[in-house]
Amino acid sequence: MDDGFLMEVCVDSVESAVNAERGGAGRIELCAGLVEGGTTPSMGLLQVVKQCVRVPVFVMIRPRGGDFLYSDREVEVMKADIRLAKLHGADGLVFGALTEDGRIDTELCTALLAVCRPLPVTFHRAFDMVHDPLVALETLISLGFERVLTSGCDSSALEGLSLIKRLAEQAKGRIVVVPGGGITERNLQRILEGSTASEFHCSARSARDSGMKFRNPNVAMGASFSAPEYSIKVADVAKVRTLNAIAKNIL
């Protein structure tokens, strides 16, 4: 924590983690699959990131993209990943689970939290898919989550700003409400001033051209909507520093 706020940067590579720390991030959310909103990273990635940065590393526990309604076997994967993440040095964990009618899955969350402890846990943007966010917030508080990451149940934190502010007022310090989703240098000031948040979440990425000299333009490694093979997105030190400076000036 610095000057009353904390910037969390979500990353999916060692390079991005190092850049985030160099730019002033106070915490890292380590993921794979940022195109899908973040999935569980490899334990190899976690090990190397922990060797390269000193700020806390919170690990995403999400076995796949898509919805947050999990099968019994997916739950077993999540529990195994939590145990491994703790073994390899995670400083905190990030997950979310919902019932089919859009409520917090209290039974599953209770079971996963028990495996996570004593580490702190963030409920991720599965929160933005709930039926009633005000009720859901009380549920997360009763379960013992330390944080909830949210865009205010809208397409971005700026669009959902009024709800984020309402959630923060309702929380009254019982849980940290962390704005996230589409946060940039252009809108951070409005989001922080409008939400009274003490923490915020961003990716602060820029595209970097691949070092490949030979390129085959006819082949794609993923689905047609996936990121191009010859462009790599990494956390941008300058962007992180700019966001950090904006937040310091405000708060």
Side-chain angles (χ1 to χ4, degrees), residues 158-170:
L158 185 61
E159 296 295 324
L161 187 54
S162 61
L163 178 58
I164 293 172
K165 182 179 181 181
R166 188 174 177 188
L167 291 167
E169 291 170 347
Q170 178 180 328

Side-chain angles (χ1 to χ4, degrees), residues 17-87:
V18 170
N19 287 353
E21 182 179 55
R22 284 177 57 200
R27 185 172 62 239
I28 286 168
E29 181 190 82
L30 188 63
C31 308
L34 286 179
V35 171
E36 295 184 286
T39 54
T40 306
S42 76
M43 293 302 107
L45 177 59
L46 172 58
Q47 281 186 288
V48 178
V49 165
K50 285 293 295 180
Q51 292 167 10
C52 295
V53 303
R54 290 175 294 178
V55 296
V57 177
F58 280 27
V59 176
M60 172 69 76
I61 302 296
R62 187 179 174 212
R64 55 164 172 77
D67 64 31
F68 305 102
L69 183 65
Y70 296 114
S71 69
D72 290 344
R73 287 180 175 176
E74 287 172 333
V75 170
E76 290 308 307
V77 171
M78 295 170 81
K79 289 179 178 177
D81 282 333
I82 290 167
R83 295 186 186 102
L84 287 169
K86 290 172 69 177
L87 182 66

Side-chain angles (χ1 to χ4, degrees), residues 75-122:
V75 170
E76 290 308 307
V77 171
M78 295 170 81
K79 289 179 178 177
D81 282 333
I82 290 167
R83 295 186 186 102
L84 287 169
K86 290 172 69 177
L87 182 66
H88 292 297
D91 298 291
L93 296 150
V94 183
F95 71 80
L98 304 179
T99 61
E100 63 183 11
D101 58 351
R103 302 177 195 279
I104 305 296
D105 189 332
T106 55
E107 183 178 351
L108 175 51
C109 286
T110 298
L112 293 177
L113 281 166
V115 184
C116 290
R117 296 308 186 198
L119 297 182
V121 186
T122 300

Side-chain angles (χ1 to χ4, degrees), residues 97-194:
L98 304 179
T99 61
E100 63 183 11
D101 58 351
R103 302 177 195 279
I104 305 296
D105 189 332
T106 55
E107 183 178 351
L108 175 51
C109 286
T110 298
L112 293 177
L113 281 166
V115 184
C116 290
R117 296 308 186 198
L119 297 182
V121 186
T122 300
F123 193 94
H124 61 45
R125 286 188 62 204
F127 183 84
D128 291 323
M129 304 300 187
V130 298
H131 176 70
D132 186 330
L134 302 182
V135 171
L137 186 70
E138 292 300 325
T139 301
L140 296 184
I141 291 167
S142 68
L143 288 170
F145 283 90
E146 282 78 8
R147 292 174 182 81
V148 55
L149 175 63
T150 178
S151 63
C153 301
D154 215 320
S155 57
S156 72
L158 185 61
E159 296 295 324
L161 187 54
S162 61
L163 178 58
I164 293 172
K165 182 179 181 181
R166 188 174 177 188
L167 291 167
E169 291 170 347
Q170 178 180 328
K172 295 178 181 175
R174 296 175 296 160
I175 189 171
V176 180
V177 177
V178 184
I183 290 182
T184 68
E185 310 94 295
R186 295 183 298 278
N187 61 28
L188 177 61
Q189 181 172 348
R190 289 174 62 190
I191 290 168
L192 291 183
E193 289 179 342

